[in-house]
Amino acid sequence: MREFEYARGASLQQIVAGLGANAAIIAGGTELLNWMRLGIADPPRIIDLGGVDGLDRISREGDHLTVGALATLNMIGEDPLVLAHATALGQACLLAASAQVRNRATIGGNVLQKTRCPYFRSEVPLPWGCNKRQPGSGCAARNGINARHAIFGWTDACVAVQPSDPAVALSCLDAEAEVVGASGCRFIPMKEFHLTQQEAAALGSDGAELETRLAPDEIIVAYRIPVRNGARSAYVKVRERASYEYALVSAAACVELDADRIARTDIALGSVAQRPWRLATESLVGASPTREALAPLIQAAMSDARPLPQNAYKVTMACNAAVRALLTAAGQS
Amino acid sequence: MSIGQAISRIEGVAKVTGRAKYAADHTPPGTLHAVLVGAPLACGRLLEVDASAALRVRGVTRVLSAKDMPRFGAVAPPAAVLNLPLQGERIHHEGEPVAIVLGESPAAAEAGRAAVIVHCERAEPLVLGAGEREAPPSPRMLGDDLDMGDVVHGLSVAQARVEQTYVQAARHHNPMETSGTVALFENGKLTLWDSVQASGNVPPVVAAALGMKAEDIRVIAPHTGGGFGVKGYVWPHQILAAAAARILGRPVKLHLRRHDQFVCAGYQPWMSQSIKIGATAQGALTAIDHAIVNTCAIADTHLEPSSEASKTMYAAPAIRTRQWLERININLPTAMRAPVEGPGMWALESAMNELALELDMDPLDLRLAGYAERDPHTGKPWSSKKLREAYEEGARLYGWRTRRERPRQDGPWRVGHGMATCSMGSFRFPGGARVRLRADGTARIEANTHDIGTGMQTVFCQIAADALGLPLASVSIDWGDTNLRASGPVYGSSATGGTGSAIALACRDIKAQLGALGGGNDPAVILRRAGRAEVAADGAYTLPNGALFSADGEGTPYAMRSWGAVFVEVGVDPELGVLRLRRAVGAYSAGRIINPKTARSQMTGGIIWGWGKATMEESVQDPASGCWLAKNLSNVAVPVNADIPTDITIHFVDEYDEHASVIGSRGIGELGATGVDAAVAAAIHDAVGVRVRDLPILPWKILESLPRA
Amino acid sequence: MPQVLSDPSRHGDGSAQPSWSRRLAVKLRLNGQPQIAEVSPRITLLDWLREEAGLTGTKKGCNEGACGTCTVLIDGERMNSCLTLVAQCEGREVTTIEGIAGADGGLHPVQQAFIEHDAFQCGYCTPGQIVSAVACIAEGHARDEASVREWMSGNICRCSCYPQITAAVLDAARRREGAP
């Protein structure tokens, strides 16, 4: 890491001012330090969010939960309100990383983590092309090793996936991020917070650099998660070892039953695209919460998948993960 | 009686309090921190190392490149790499050191590394699959080609045949402590604190490279944070640390970054094994034909001699083995727990399990049908072999014969069972030790042996305590320093036998001296009565004909090998492709077990090592660039605690092998890591009917092999 | 709590601009002793402990937070010191393996259990395992085998002592419950 100037932010105002002065924010630091070691980020200044009060609270206000951006993944994963009203989020938090990382990693920072693509995660000098690291250099994964890469939303410029577990749950639960910037505050729906490469290209980016709708001068301060009576949710994470590893695919599902039929359901898939991938679920309304009924419907909802040469398995795996998450949420798995 | 007691490790307090010191824990005054700069591409020519920006980084003191280096003298094994870096312009592999950044702090040196610009002329690398295949040097002690009997005929008359190819990915050792060397010159003499498995290997290599006398080099290495084979031979960075210290006139600490561990030291190579076995309907083998390829580096050579398994495991009248190397632009592989049989039995035991299905025989019965009463290719009797007892007890502990009575489904998991034979040749090296018995009734062992986690120190004290008739608490040991009595390396599962035998011999000498002093029951009394402060003796364990290494009882009338059987229960989630180890039993014929507590830990560690190999570990080479895709622990998986059940049962058959060592023991450290992969693959097939012959068996390989639902 | 988090003027000391430093004097407590760490902001807690504070018990395994070897406690919570800047420890209590001991100054029950259950081999991951285990038990995550295995998975052991580590943590947790 190169040397940098450091400031402790005493207030949100100072943090926003710091962003304006080309500072990177450090909250937990579990991503930023590695970006700097690899050369992914090289900020001349770092402003520490850790000292700002009041940003880590978890509370319920009427029809929604508020989760402060500085709440750590362990805090969220063991919070009774989250376990009761946003189960998928709690599960996603506890399935992420390790206990040690979860004690530092914040929910505000976690959704801003970057892809685990090994071509991207190489240290300088890169022996291959990566459009995120060096715009215009190409995408080595596109025709290289791409077993863990995207099946939706990718372009020839980049085939990376967004690995955050909590982001998948937040998308599924229709959460919104409350963000503050130089020009005030706004809400960004989490199902649109991240951009696929195609969506980024449509916004004028070269398809590899732009990853979220967060402006450079903005910071997430909290999430609002709607609480729906009778809704239950669950998160399923598929990986080759039992813990402390990123997903091959994951799925968050939220379901409301009416008698023994699905009245409403939302499903988001993780690690299949550069954003949590929401499935169209209208066809599932009225369906029986059984594997036999759901698998073909979810498969059909994924028919627009565009696998790469090595990751066709993700279509089956993600479909089955979604079924598993839905059945778990419905309590019938 | 100390031997056979489950004694807690004597260095335990040091380790649990953080007081045990590893190489990079030493920081002599004035130490410079070194970070290597590696070649950024796999093949080509180095044009220039531009250190100008690096030298402007605050805290960077110096950047060394080839022009600053002396011409190294020629090195020979036990140097791993003979074509030393920072000497010329040819780039042999990605990550080959081309410069050394020296800084006042690790942070400064790391920042300096990132600022060095290496200009190269790229040439197209030879990558996996495109390399030249060649026959390895011959003759060779291990892995030599065998052509015994008539394999073609044997296969043609077989009533059942298996012909398959088994592949395993390259895997790095990934010890928790990366290799590291601290080098300090004082008055022309060099002291190295080094993370090694055989510090005795270091002085001759470093001396040859730097034009010094080996006796002017001292290596201090009491604790090594995991070796598994990667810290056995001498790697270039060890020489570079010393060279930098001499050039700078200051101590240098070169603790390899995790990234550099992937390219600056070895790994177990990618291997493809084609095997044909034929058998009668009763399961008697008629022929084994085993052809093996392993990748290795362009200029340096490593053969993974995995054909030994097929020569020694089962009775067969015809056995043919052939080995090849495929040279590609990558860093040099090396031995890994377990070498030789580790890969060899992935193929052989998998083929045997497939053959059992062909014959509609229980896989255990097929092993019993092929039981070799003598070494198949030499005809020698075994020094001691209690494999039948191991099969039987292992099967009993596992419930192998009644496995079909267990539930086949457990929630989302389909449950399957698999087994395999385990084996390792008894590698032996000469061993040495000095023992001092003092008039206060205490004894001290001195031997330049190493603690890589096997529990050596405790075992050696137990041996000496027994031999001298002392309580264990009265025996202590000095180890890990080339100033001490030279001894054998801590690899090849050889140290208990080699150094342990030397200790036993030294103690015999001491007892003889005590006898000459009048004898009696209490050594302390004997010495005091004789007016002696101490008696001391040197123990030397030697091999026949003064050999420096013996793989399988050469020079003796016996073939020497350790044996076992592993049984695993695996859960497969057929919807997600995920695997879980549910329980395992390992039963072993490994000679006398000195300390059942530490020995059990070695075996469970081996089984877990095998699980990792079977289900998750791989180091992938990017096909376009020839570079390792990931050089870190976040993209390369090794088992974590949640992967491993506590239900792992270990059994040792009661055995004393009087030929393999003076103390009746054989090696165990690597034995447990053999056969596991084949047992796991068989269990997966048992569970869901899927046969994967390409390790690691990742979830997508399961899904891709399952019939579409 | 404030209803409107998003109004920046409702927070802080009124000063809008942060104050930048190239060098810090971080006040922290280290194993119960007050310390002032004079560091460049980029220095990690791991490097500072090992190179400046003279405490080499905490080990470096990967320097990217992927192995847990560098685990320490910060205000009693376990964290990877390679992912922590010294700067982030202002006002905090840092506990390393050197600060883990029993109430009488002897071995902590976790340390004792590790020895008895042979829960280490090469010993390199052991300081991190022990510090992590102390916190795991205090967190209430050592209820049973499954919770220990999951909540100790942030500490990789390549010698693969996992069954012994699990047994040691469960044993130490039980002893703690039995203690007066």
Side-chain angles (χ1 to χ4, degrees):
Chain A
M1 284 188 275
R2 65 128 144 193
E3 306 224 57
F4 50 83
E5 288 186 312
Y6 172 88
R8 211 158 279 129
S11 66
L12 269 181
Q13 197 180 20
Q14 287 191 357
I15 300 293
V16 173
L19 282 176
N22 253 332
I25 294 175
I26 193 166
T30 56
E31 266 283 81
L32 180 63
L33 296 192
N34 287 334
W35 295 346
M36 294 167 70
R37 289 176 173 130
L38 293 173
I40 292 169
D42 197 16
R45 301 172 137 183
I46 291 185
I47 186 153
D48 193 334
L49 192 46
V52 178
D53 273 333
L55 288 185
D56 62 353
R57 312 282 157 76
I58 301 172
S59 63
R60 178 171 182 178
E61 281 95 42
D63 66 351
H64 65 270
L65 292 190
T66 302
V67 177
L70 286 187
T72 67
L73 300 190
N74 269 341
M75 274 182 208
I76 296 167
E78 305 207 285
D79 185 274
L81 286 172
V82 172
L83 292 172
H85 302 296
T87 315
L89 177 61
Q91 291 175 346
C93 284
L94 292 188
L95 287 169
S98 69
Q100 291 93 316
V101 172
R102 293 194 299 268
N103 276 337
R104 289 207 80 76
T106 65
I107 190 73
N110 179 277
V111 304
L112 295 171
Q113 70 181 280
K114 293 183 177 290
T115 187
R116 307 307 308 183
C117 170
Y119 296 104
F120 172 79
R121 288 272 168 180
S122 171
E123 66 175 22
V124 293
L126 268 65
W128 39 56
C130 173
N131 285 322
K132 288 187 190 291
R133 299 291 299 271
Q134 284 161 333
S137 66
C139 172
R142 176 66 182 91
N143 294 308
I145 309 287
N146 52 42
R148 296 171 195 257
H149 293 68
I151 57 172
F152 296 106
W154 55 267
T155 67
D156 286 334
C158 180
V159 298
V161 300
Q162 164 54 238
S164 163
D165 296 299
V168 183
L170 289 167
S171 170
C172 174
L173 296 171
D174 278 326
E176 295 180 304
E178 181 182 352
V179 311
V180 162
S183 40
C185 119
R186 64 183 180 119
F187 287 86
I188 306 177
M190 285 311 292
K191 66 181 182 197
E192 299 165 11
F193 183 88
H194 295 93
L195 298 164
T196 66
Q197 292 87 349
Q198 285 180 324
E199 289 163 350
L203 289 175
S205 145
D206 68 357
E209 286 193 84
L210 193 59
E211 294 174 349
T212 74
R213 294 185 195 270
L214 194 67
D217 69 327
E218 288 181 319
I219 174 178
I220 302 170
V221 294
Y223 299 93
R224 283 168 57 115
I225 306 165
V227 173
R228 291 195 196 98
N229 288 325
R232 284 173 286 178
S233 64
Y235 186 73
V236 167
K237 183 172 184 178
V238 185
R239 44 189 172 175
E240 66 251 47
R241 75 180 183 196
S243 188
Y244 200 8
E245 198 187 22
Y246 298 93
L248 289 170
V249 305
S250 68
C254 185
V255 68
E256 291 168 55
L257 297 178
D258 183 1
D260 57 355
R261 297 278 163 156
I262 293 174
R264 179 199 169 131
T265 182
D266 295 298
I267 298 172
L269 302 177
S271 296
V272 295
Q274 201 171 243
R275 69 163 160 78
W277 191 260
R278 285 283 296 258
L279 293 180
T281 50
E282 297 81 19
S283 66
L284 277 71
V285 173
S288 206
T290 65
R291 181 174 162 74
E292 296 67 40
L294 296 174
L297 295 171
I298 291 175
Q299 208 165 2
M302 292 178 65
S303 61
D304 56 340
R306 298 157 53 226
L308 294 162
Q310 296 170 1
N311 69 6
Y313 75 91
K314 281 202 179 190
V315 181
T316 305
M317 193 184 272
C319 173
N320 289 340
V323 171
R324 187 75 59 89
L326 220 171
L327 292 177
T328 306
Q332 295 183 24
S333 184
Chain B
M1 182 76 177
S2 253
I3 291 185
Q5 295 297 306
I7 312 275
S8 296
R9 292 172 203 247
I10 59 174
E11 78 285 0
V13 173
K15 285 177 175 168
V16 301
T17 56
R19 291 203 277 270
K21 292 250 183 279
Y22 300 78
D25 292 337
H26 299 92
T27 312
T31 290
L32 281 168
H33 298 268
V35 173
L36 297 175
V37 180
L41 38 83
C43 183
R45 202 160 65 90
L46 177 66
L47 299 174
E48 186 202 350
V49 173
D50 178 0
S52 50
L55 288 165
R56 288 194 296 273
V57 171
R58 198 162 64 94
V60 170
T61 305
R62 184 92 182 261
V63 178
L64 301 173
S65 59
K67 61 176 166 47
D68 304 299
M69 285 291 165
R71 189 113 301 266
F72 293 138
V75 296
V81 170
L82 308 184
N83 292 275
L84 294 175
L86 275 96
Q87 296 284 281
E89 57 177 33
R90 183 175 176 197
I91 295 172
H92 299 98
H93 63 82
E94 177 238 351
E96 186 175 34
V98 297
I100 311 171
V101 175
L102 293 137
E104 303 295 332
S105 68
E110 284 164 21
R113 182 214 71 85
V116 172
I117 302 173
V118 181
H119 297 279
C120 312
E121 183 183 270
R122 186 181 184 276
E124 198 60 34
L126 284 172
V127 298
L128 178 61
E132 304 279 309
R133 282 204 185 173
E134 65 180 59
S138 194
R140 43 192 189 266
M141 176 169 252
L142 285 171
D144 215 355
D145 291 350
L146 177 71
D147 204 348
M148 182 183 97
D150 186 340
V151 155
V152 171
H153 173 76
L155 289 170
S156 71
V157 302
Q159 290 160 303
R161 256 183 301 276
V162 168
E163 286 188 27
Q164 291 293 349
T165 298
Y166 300 91
V167 175
Q168 60 180 64
R171 282 143 58 236
H172 281 80
H173 304 66
N174 297 319
M176 294 322 299
E177 180 205 23
T178 54
S179 299
T181 308
V182 176
L184 168 67
F185 272 93
E186 272 173 326
N187 306 317
K189 295 193 200 288
L190 173 63
T191 301
L192 298 171
W193 290 268
D194 212 350
S195 182
V196 291
Q197 298 177 238
S199 61
N201 284 348
V202 179
V205 172
V206 173
L210 297 188
M212 293 176 65
K213 296 205 280 276
E215 54 265 31
D216 286 341
I217 301 174
R218 176 185 182 192
V219 184
I220 302 173
H223 293 288
T224 298
F228 314 110
V230 73
K231 297 175 182 174
Y233 304 136
V234 183
W235 296 90
H237 68 273
Q238 294 167 271
I239 297 167
L240 295 181
R246 191 161 71 175
I247 294 168
L248 273 288
R250 288 172 63 175
V252 166
K253 180 188 297 195
L254 173 47
H255 186 191
L256 285 187
R257 302 177 311 139
R258 179 59 64 178
H259 180 281
D260 296 329
Q261 184 74 30
F262 284 80
V263 289
C264 292
Y267 57 94
Q268 188 165 84
W270 177 93
M271 297 180 66
S272 174
Q273 305 183 61
S274 296
I275 189 163
K276 304 178 195 175
I277 51 178
T280 67
Q282 293 71 41
L285 296 185
T286 58
I288 304 174
D289 191 353
H290 194 171
I292 303 169
V293 181
N294 70 268
T295 52
C296 91
I298 284 289
D300 286 289
T301 302
H302 170 80
L303 175 74
E304 190 55 49
S306 294
S307 51
E308 293 303 313
S310 290
K311 300 175 193 172
T312 56
M313 215 54 47
Y314 302 109
I319 300 174
R320 180 166 67 173
T321 71
R322 287 158 294 164
Q323 301 221 208
W324 285 279
L325 301 172
E326 177 180 327
R327 290 194 183 277
I328 58 177
N329 284 99
I330 203 153
N331 50 307
L332 184 68
T334 194
M336 174 196 276
R337 175 197 212 187
V340 192
E341 284 81 1
M345 293 180 70
W346 161 231
L348 179 61
E349 291 302 294
S350 292
M352 287 292 278
N353 282 330
E354 295 200 46
L355 182 64
L357 284 174
E358 283 290 314
L359 290 169
D360 200 21
M361 275 179 87
D362 187 293
L364 177 54
D365 291 329
L366 178 61
R367 300 325 199 276
L368 292 167
Y371 195 89
E373 300 289 356
R374 290 181 160 251
D375 187 14
H377 79 295
T378 63
K380 288 161 92 177
W382 304 106
S383 60
S384 176
K385 178 179 182 180
K386 294 196 169 183
L387 177 56
R388 279 213 178 83
E389 291 87 336
Y391 282 140
E392 188 181 309
E393 189 59 15
R396 190 189 70 78
L397 287 166
Y398 186 84
W400 178 258
R401 299 292 188 191
T402 53
R403 64 195 186 278
R404 295 293 171 237
E405 296 165 23
R406 292 177 177 257
R408 297 283 276 173
Q409 192 82 32
D410 177 11
W413 305 103
R414 291 278 305 170
V415 180
H417 307 271
M419 65 82 59
T421 307
C422 316
S423 188
M424 270 298 289
S426 283
F427 289 179
R428 302 188 301 158
F429 297 86
R434 191 161 177 74
V435 179
R436 301 174 188 280
L437 173 64
R438 296 178 288 224
D440 64 1
T442 64
R444 193 148 182 88
I445 306 163
E446 295 164 11
N448 185 27
T449 182
H450 298 287
D451 176 14
I452 63 170
T454 56
M456 293 286 91
Q457 290 64 41
T458 310
V459 162
F460 294 151
C461 288
Q462 288 174 266
I463 293 168
D466 264 20
L468 297 175
L470 295 175
L472 186 59
S474 301
V475 182
S476 60
I477 178 168
D478 245 333
W479 78 91
D481 190 331
T482 49
N483 277 0
L484 296 169
R485 172 46 166 108
S487 195
V490 184
Y491 46 70
S493 308
S494 64
T496 299
T499 303
S501 291
I503 291 167
L505 291 170
C507 290
R508 273 188 207 168
D509 188 326
I510 286 175
K511 296 221 76 165
Q513 293 183 50
L514 291 176
L517 289 175
N521 283 333
D522 188 333
V525 165
I526 301 169
L527 287 176
R528 286 198 291 271
R529 195 180 62 211
R532 293 281 297 273
E534 76 167 32
V535 288
D538 188 278
Y541 176 66
T542 57
L543 300 178
N545 309 313
L548 295 176
F549 170 61
S550 164
D552 191 4
E554 292 86 359
T556 78
Y558 305 100
M560 295 181 185
R561 195 156 260 288
S562 276
W563 307 94
V566 65
F567 302 82
V568 298
E569 180 179 308
V570 176
V572 184
D573 184 330
E575 293 173 13
L576 303 176
V578 174
L579 304 172
R580 281 293 176 270
L581 179 64
R582 295 166 60 91
R583 65 188 180 102
V585 170
Y588 306 98
S589 156
R592 188 187 197 193
I593 301 302
I594 311 295
N595 184 331
K597 182 185 267 196
T598 55
R600 176 182 176 272
S601 297
Q602 283 292 89
M603 307 322 283
T604 58
I607 289 174
I608 295 165
W609 192 274
W611 175 257
K613 178 187 182 198
T615 63
M616 64 183 76
E617 292 177 37
E618 63 176 344
S619 295
V620 179
Q621 187 192 27
D622 170 60
S625 65
C627 301
W628 294 114
L629 195 61
K631 295 191 281 280
N632 51 52
L633 293 183
S634 48
N635 280 31
V636 174
V638 298
V640 293
N641 198 328
D643 289 309
I644 304 303
T646 54
D647 191 353
I648 299 180
T649 303
I650 304 296
H651 172 78
F652 292 106
V653 175
D654 193 28
E655 184 178 12
Y656 188 100
D657 188 330
E658 59 181 318
H659 307 291
S661 67
V662 172
I663 53 176
S665 71
R666 291 197 299 267
I668 64 170
E670 296 165 296
L671 175 64
T674 65
V676 181
D677 41 19
V680 168
I684 291 168
H685 182 265
D686 189 49
V688 291
V690 154
R691 183 76 67 186
V692 180
R693 302 185 181 92
D694 177 5
L695 298 180
I697 304 174
L698 294 166
W700 67 71
K701 295 183 188 178
I702 302 280
L703 289 187
E704 283 165 359
S705 305
L706 280 168
R708 300 288 266 150
Chain C
M1 66 167 273
Q3 286 299 310
V4 182
L5 288 172
S6 55
D7 179 355
S9 68
R10 286 177 65 112
H11 295 269
D13 60 1
S15 139
Q17 291 302 323
S19 95
W20 303 101
S21 313
R22 296 202 77 93
R23 193 138 184 95
L24 303 169
V26 180
K27 292 197 267 308
L28 52 92
R29 290 180 68 82
L30 178 59
N31 295 328
Q33 297 300 314
Q35 296 265 338
I36 298 180
E38 296 187 1
V39 290
S40 157
R42 73 171 167 188
I43 302 300
T44 62
L45 180 60
L46 176 62
D47 280 342
W48 181 78
L49 286 169
R50 290 180 53 77
E51 304 296 332
E52 300 300 325
L55 297 179
T56 58
T58 307
K59 306 299 184 199
K60 180 178 284 188
C62 71
N63 215 31
E64 63 158 338
C67 74
T69 301
C70 67
T71 304
V72 299
L73 303 181
I74 299 178
D75 286 346
E77 289 196 315
R78 46 182 166 155
M79 298 183 180
N80 296 320
S81 56
C82 74
L83 288 183
T84 309
L85 297 174
V86 178
Q88 294 174 293
C89 299
E90 173 72 35
R92 305 213 182 271
E93 172 87 58
V94 175
T95 309
T96 68
I97 184 66
E98 290 91 346
I100 301 287
D104 58 354
L107 293 179
H108 188 285
V110 169
Q111 292 168 314
Q112 190 62 46
F114 266 60
I115 292 175
E116 284 168 24
H117 291 274
D118 207 36
F120 52 87
Q121 292 183 33
C122 80
Y124 196 75
C125 77
T126 307
Q129 297 278 359
I130 288 174
V131 171
S132 194
V134 168
C136 182
I137 293 169
E139 292 158 13
H141 291 130
R143 301 177 294 274
D144 52 28
E145 180 187 316
S147 62
V148 170
R149 283 170 53 191
E150 168 56 29
W151 284 88
M152 288 297 295
S153 279
N155 292 84
I156 297 184
C157 174
R158 197 61 171 130
C159 297
S160 304
C161 300
Y162 296 129
Q164 298 88 286
I165 291 170
T166 299
V169 176
L170 283 170
D171 191 8
R174 267 181 244 119
R175 287 187 218 186
R176 185 179 187 247
E177 266 152 42

